[in-house]
Amino acid sequence: DQQVKQNSPSLSVQEGRISILNCDYTNSMFDYFLWYKKYPAEGPTFLISISSIKDKNEDGRFTVFLNKSAKHLSLHIVPSQPGDSAVYFCAASERQGAQKLVFGQGTRLTINP
Amino acid sequence: NAGVMQNPRHLVRRRGQEARLRCSPMKGHSHVYWYRQLPEEGLKFMVYLQKENIIDESGMPKERFSAEFPKEGPSILRIQQVVRGDSAAYFCASSEGYSNQPQHFGDGTRLSIL
């Protein structure tokens, strides 16, 4: 039972353009959502999070949007840079903070020069 | 380095041996989580611990796997009598445990079973 789904295994974007990564979830009890970035042979690095009481959170080039009615969130990266090439995971938990995370399968983002 | 420290980074074991993976949380963090990642998959939750307590072990296999987070020292994930299917990357994360505080991950231990 995949409660968090990232339906695009890969995405290719030109440098300087916007990258949009999508994530869907099925568990209506999820109320805290996070995006992580992962390079090969390293652990996931936290990027940005959003609570269910918000619909948007922004941090520099990264913005996360949450649509609770559609059970959908997205990560926007603008402008995309070569160093953004990595695997991106979305994750969710049922209560904010100290609860287990449920991860999607990941989307491999490639930024082309 | 104030990050989550995991060791060893790579561990090779033969079938039937024991594997011990260690994790030291970030300074100031008292909550530790273990996750497992199989090739081409996302991370799967295994266990959540606080000092001397297992809070949630709903993701742990019923047999051969155990975890602890003693009062002193790192958290340990132990796998007894390893089998080929245990080959994976095992990640540890820590958090302060409060609301709106994300989990921060170590670089993982890659376990290979011969």
Side-chain angles (χ1 to χ4, degrees):
Chain A
D1 177 24
Q2 191 70 29
Q3 297 185 69
V4 178
K5 295 181 182 179
Q6 294 176 254
N7 292 316
S8 297
S10 62
L11 176 67
S12 187
V13 174
Q14 194 167 2
E15 183 180 358
R17 306 292 289 268
I18 184 171
S19 295
I20 301 176
L21 296 100
N22 293 302
C23 180
D24 297 294
Y25 62 95
T26 57
N27 187 345
S28 57
M29 298 298 291
F30 287 149
D31 66 359
Y32 183 54
F33 304 88
L34 309 90
W35 284 95
Y36 286 85
K37 172 182 176 180
K38 187 180 182 304
Y39 294 119
E42 294 185 10
T45 300
F46 169 71
L47 279 176
I48 192 168
S49 64
I50 188 166
S51 162
S52 60
I53 62 174
K54 295 185 175 181
D55 55 18
K56 176 183 174 181
N57 189 25
E58 192 172 352
D59 184 1
R61 297 187 298 116
F62 302 94
T63 303
V64 56
F65 295 92
L66 176 62
N67 183 333
K68 290 184 289 295
S69 60
K71 293 191 177 67
H72 177 84
L73 65 155
S74 61
L75 174 68
H76 292 209
I77 307 173
V78 58
S80 299
Q81 299 174 354
D84 296 330
S85 295
V87 178
Y88 288 77
F89 291 98
C90 74
S93 68
E94 290 191 10
R95 242 185 296 163
Q96 296 172 5
Q99 297 295 326
K100 65 184 180 186
L101 296 178
V102 180
F103 282 83
Q105 310 96 306
T107 297
R108 183 178 303 277
L109 175 65
T110 302
I111 306 302
N112 302 307
Chain B
N1 186 345
V4 178
M5 301 300 295
Q6 290 189 249
N7 67 83
R9 289 296 310 277
H10 301 274
L11 183 61
V12 180
R13 285 288 179 266
R14 297 189 179 280
R15 281 177 292 173
Q17 291 184 321
E18 178 179 286
R20 282 197 180 203
L21 289 63
R22 287 176 290 277
C23 169
S24 296
M26 283 180 70
K27 189 174 182 180
H29 287 188
S30 58
H31 297 244
V32 166
Y33 313 78
W34 287 92
Y35 294 82
R36 176 166 65 175
Q37 184 183 25
L38 296 172
E40 306 303 321
E41 293 188 11
L43 283 72
K44 296 282 197 287
F45 169 79
M46 299 181 74
V47 63
Y48 163 32
L49 311 103
Q50 296 178 27
K51 285 284 187 182
E52 300 184 281
N53 284 305
I54 296 175
I55 307 302
D56 181 350
E57 56 181 346
S58 59
M60 286 279 269
K62 296 292 183 238
E63 298 178 348
R64 302 187 298 109
F65 285 72
S66 63
E68 62 177 5
F69 189 15
K71 187 176 180 181
E72 301 291 336
S75 175
I76 305 288
L77 178 67
R78 181 186 305 169
I79 311 173
Q80 295 177 301
Q81 299 173 348
V82 296
V83 301
R84 287 262 171 87
D86 297 332
S87 295
Y90 292 82
F91 291 97
C92 170
S94 71
S95 77
E96 293 179 329
Y98 303 115
S99 294
N100 290 334
Q101 296 300 316
Q103 296 176 23
H104 295 275
F105 285 80
D107 283 336
T109 293
R110 273 134 191 96
L111 176 63
S112 298
I113 309 302
L114 301 179

